[in-house]
Amino acid sequence: MNPRSEPRLADTLNTAIVVLDERNRPIYLNSAAEQFLGTSYSAALKSGFETVFAANPLLAEAIREALTTQQVMTLREIELVLAHESTRVADCAITPRPDYPRARVMLEFNDIERHLRISRDARINSLQMTTRQMMRGLAHELKNPLGGLRGAAQLLERELPDERLTEYTRIILQETDRLRGLIDRMLGPNDRPDCHWVNVHEPLEQVRQLLRIEAGDRPLDWQLDYDPSIPDVWADRDQLVQVLLNLARNAVQAMREGNTPEPQLTFRTRVLRQFTIHGKRHRLAVRIDVEDNGPGVPEDLVETLFLPMVSGRAGGSGLGLSLAQTIAERHQGMIEFVPKRGVTRFSLILPIHPHGDHAPGRKTSLSPTE
């Protein structure tokens, strides 16, 4: 009898359970394991687990040690490379010689990626809010003396006997205005979002056209992976363009500065169900990925990417991502960056119905029961 076909209580668990024989072929996978591994029992039976172990030497070594010591081993927060080069973060328990026919080892994977994401988002969001409050306080303190400095320069310009000396007062005025502009950008946009129902693919296509014009003859391979079933979102279209253009321009500039031999930019859209944003669960959300194959984000900047005045590029102001995150939050959404193997991906995540099912003129392509 096929052990996978036997009714098992383990099929009701959220923990992924895999039982392997002496040849590393699966004897049993529960439903959670099929979902976690991104494969079916029949496909896993055909391919075995050698490819999984080859891509995850730490897991393979832990299994050898568990079999040698005959002790249960636990790996915490291990990043696993699975089907189609996808990665998952999980806790893994390894039980040697379990009480199961022909079994050599049993693996239990507890997917903690969602838990880690929510925890990381809460930590980063708290840091961002604290930093913004400090920046707002500093900005307001600076605005008053800048206004006095500008007024004094204007009065001085009127009183100067030699017109050639006004060149210096104009420099003072220009630099004062530049600093005021920088402070206003630090404080973020003043305009509230002018929301309407928006097809998210429209601002994406506008951004693509703008970047194609800017790129000129320079090579750039576009990959579009759109989900046409995504409902419209309640958002400010112009502000969506501003956010997506910032993310895409950053990607293009990073690929150019990193001399990426075959630069590739991917736009991807997906629907997320029961997704948590800043502690609030939304029934439906849309994820818009801007992904490139450039050099990636320096590891020391990952935790502070969205803070004001933080930039990984020479000459960068460090305000673009901070402002983009502010706009996303005004739409009750967020911008997420998760380091991935071989690619750099920023995701704009927006609730499709931020006001629930009673949003004005509600328009959707999905069934209300989904």
Side-chain angles (χ1 to χ4, degrees):
M1 178 181 289
N2 182 349
R4 180 64 184 87
S5 64
E6 297 178 19
R8 297 281 178 179
L9 182 62
D11 275 330
T12 65
L13 300 177
N14 291 325
T15 301
I17 297 177
V18 178
V19 181
L20 302 177
D21 65 12
E22 295 290 345
R23 295 187 296 167
N24 289 331
R25 294 169 66 84
I27 301 173
Y28 177 76
L29 272 73
N30 69 345
S31 299
E34 291 181 322
Q35 184 175 359
F36 177 80
L37 297 169
T39 187
S40 65
Y41 173 77
S42 58
L45 187 63
K46 184 181 300 183
S47 61
F49 264 64
E50 293 299 339
T51 54
V52 175
F53 295 147
N56 300 280
L58 182 61
L59 175 62
E61 177 59 32
I63 291 174
R64 283 192 291 269
E65 186 173 343
L67 289 169
T68 300
T69 62
Q70 288 299 298
Q71 298 291 325
V72 175
M73 289 200 63
T74 302
L75 299 175
R76 298 291 184 187
E77 296 186 17
I78 179 174
E79 184 180 38
L80 299 169
V81 181
L82 303 173
H84 311 297
E85 293 295 313
S86 64
T87 59
R88 304 290 285 271
V89 178
D91 291 339
C92 177
I94 304 167
T95 305
R97 306 297 175 184
D99 185 15
Y100 198 91
R102 299 184 293 112
R104 173 176 177 255
V105 66
M106 180 173 71
L107 309 175
E108 299 173 67
F109 298 103
N110 185 20
D111 191 348
I112 61 171
E113 189 158 339
R114 180 174 179 271
H115 171 74
L116 290 177
R117 180 189 63 78
I118 293 174
S119 176
R120 182 184 66 246
D121 291 345
R123 183 178 68 253
I124 293 176
N125 186 54
S126 176
L127 179 60
Q128 289 171 355
M129 290 180 64
T130 302
T131 304
R132 284 175 191 158
Q133 289 175 354
M134 292 174 59
M135 297 294 283
R136 288 192 184 101
L138 178 62
H140 286 300
E141 289 297 322
L142 289 175
K143 272 196 168 184
N144 289 333
L146 280 177
L149 181 62
R150 194 180 198 287
Q154 287 175 320
L155 291 174
L156 178 61
E157 186 175 52
R158 296 174 191 166
E159 299 295 329
L160 287 174
D162 189 342
E163 189 174 339
R164 290 175 298 179
L165 296 176
T166 60
E167 177 185 351
Y168 302 110
T169 56
R170 291 196 187 102
I171 291 175
I172 296 173
L173 292 171
Q174 289 170 1
E175 290 302 295
T176 303
D177 291 340
R178 186 179 66 83
L179 287 174
R180 285 181 65 89
L182 179 61
I183 290 171
D184 289 338
R185 290 170 62 198
M186 287 167 55
L187 291 173
N190 294 319
D191 298 333
R192 298 183 63 181
D194 181 17
C195 293
H196 301 85
W197 289 111
V198 178
N199 182 329
V200 295
H201 300 119
E202 292 178 1
L204 275 172
E205 284 301 297
Q206 181 175 341
V207 169
R208 188 163 72 97
Q209 293 298 329
L210 289 170
L211 289 180
R212 286 176 63 182
I213 293 171
E214 291 178 4
D217 296 332
R218 286 172 289 196
L220 180 60
D221 181 24
W222 290 89
Q223 297 292 320
L224 305 179
D225 184 6
Y226 293 162
D227 180 354
S229 70
I230 289 180
D232 292 352
V233 297
W234 186 247
D236 184 318
R237 185 184 185 282
D238 290 340
Q239 291 191 7
L240 288 190
V241 170
Q242 181 180 349
V243 171
L244 295 169
L245 187 59
N246 178 273
L247 297 179
R249 273 186 176 148
N250 285 349
V252 172
Q253 290 172 357
M255 288 187 289
R256 286 177 186 158
E257 293 173 4
N259 295 317
T260 304
E262 296 179 359
Q264 183 179 91
L265 188 61
T266 300
F267 286 171
R268 183 185 302 107
T269 58
R270 292 291 185 270
V271 167
L272 304 174
R273 289 174 171 79
Q274 301 301 331
F275 194 84
T276 302
I277 304 175
H278 300 320
K280 180 179 179 181
R281 176 170 289 195
H282 296 272
R283 187 170 63 87
L284 286 176
V286 59
R287 191 187 78 211
I288 306 172
D289 296 337
V290 178
E291 185 177 285
D292 69 80
N293 63 338
V297 175
E299 189 173 345
D300 58 336
L301 291 182
V302 170
E303 293 291 325
T304 57
L305 265 177
F306 297 100
L307 298 183
M309 315 307 291
V310 174
S311 177
R313 201 169 61 245
S317 68
L319 292 175
L321 282 177
S322 176
L323 294 180
Q325 186 72 281
T326 300
I327 293 173
E329 289 172 359
R330 290 188 175 189
H331 287 78
Q332 299 188 35
M334 62 183 291
I335 299 173
E336 183 179 59
F337 169 72
V338 179
K340 291 290 182 182
R341 190 180 298 262
V343 298
T344 302
R345 189 183 80 192
F346 285 86
S347 300
L348 171 61
I349 302 172
L350 300 171
I352 288 176
H353 309 303
H355 306 290
D357 292 348
H358 303 292
R362 181 172 179 264
K363 180 180 177 183
T364 177
S365 302
L366 296 178
S367 166
T369 60
E370 287 190 276

